[in-house]
Amino acid sequence: MSVDDNGGALMSGTGTVTAVSSNGEYSFTKPSRPSIRLLAGLGVEGDVHAGVTVKHRSRVAQDPTQPNLRQVHLIHEELFTEVGGAGFAVNPGDLGENITTSGIDLLGLPTGALLLIGDEAVVEVTGLRNPCVQIDGFQDGLLKQVVFRDEAGNLIRKAGIMSVVRVGGVVRPGDPITVELPDGPHRPLDRV
């Protein structure tokens, strides 16, 4: 366990891939797959969000030349249990993520952390997913579970993290994930 410059604990260590998902068409959810292939500098092979420049529709409308910092979306499976306690049923791929994990505090990672996944793939964490109103289209009221203000007025985002592919490779459910924290000082994640 490491400590960031603000005294917060940052988890390092290992976790597991519990599911992988991709979709070649724009849709909110992504079907689970037996495996996905990560392509260095691009994202998930065949996924609609793969590419060097932004693919998210609203970002393309703003500036289609922006670098794609959202090549691979990861969500911690523990979130599904948390929102399940509030009456929501969420399964891997339902929120549009490519990789569902367990055992890693994804939201506590700093910008630039590396996740070594399976035998060869490496992704670099770029920031937090910014949850949008489409989440309420999936299940009404779910958006308030994944983005809200805490008692101090800070905006909390829980809908996973975004990353870019540094080293390609095949990723499957059951693959180990090893976290490598960057040299400090650590920068907390912000929306990308």
Side-chain angles (χ1 to χ4, degrees), residues 13-83:
T14 61
T16 305
V17 173
T18 59
V20 294
S21 306
S22 67
N23 199 341
E25 300 176 7
Y26 281 104
S27 70
F28 183 71
T29 62
K30 294 186 178 188
S32 290
R33 310 281 184 197
S35 67
I36 57 174
R37 179 178 298 279
L38 302 185
L39 303 174
L42 295 174
V44 178
E45 182 177 55
D47 192 79
V48 70
H49 291 106
V52 173
T53 57
V54 293
K55 300 300 176 196
H56 194 273
R57 289 176 172 173
S58 66
R59 292 167 192 268
V60 169
Q62 291 173 355
D63 178 3
T65 66
Q66 294 176 73
N68 187 3
L69 301 178
R70 302 164 52 99
Q71 294 174 359
V72 181
H73 176 200
L74 298 95
I75 285 185
H76 51 296
E77 185 175 62
E78 293 83 357
L79 176 67
F80 304 158
T81 303
E82 182 181 327
V83 300

Side-chain angles (χ1 to χ4, degrees), residues 28 88 132-145:
F28 183 71
F88 296 94
C132 67
V133 71
Q134 287 183 349
I135 291 175
D136 272 348
F138 172 68
Q139 286 185 40
D140 191 40
L142 183 57
L143 182 61
K144 289 182 181 177
Q145 299 294 312

Side-chain angles (χ1 to χ4, degrees), residues 20-22 30 36-47 49-53 67-74 98-99 112-127 161-171 192:
V20 294
S21 306
S22 67
K30 294 186 178 188
I36 57 174
R37 179 178 298 279
L38 302 185
L39 303 174
L42 295 174
V44 178
E45 182 177 55
D47 192 79
H49 291 106
V52 173
T53 57
N68 187 3
L69 301 178
R70 302 164 52 99
Q71 294 174 359
V72 181
H73 176 200
L74 298 95
N98 301 111
I99 300 175
L114 297 178
L115 303 178
L116 291 66
I117 307 172
D119 293 332
E120 54 192 340
V122 179
V123 299
E124 179 180 338
V125 177
T126 56
I161 64 171
M162 308 307 285
S163 64
V164 294
V165 181
R166 293 297 179 218
V167 178
V170 174
V171 177
V192 292

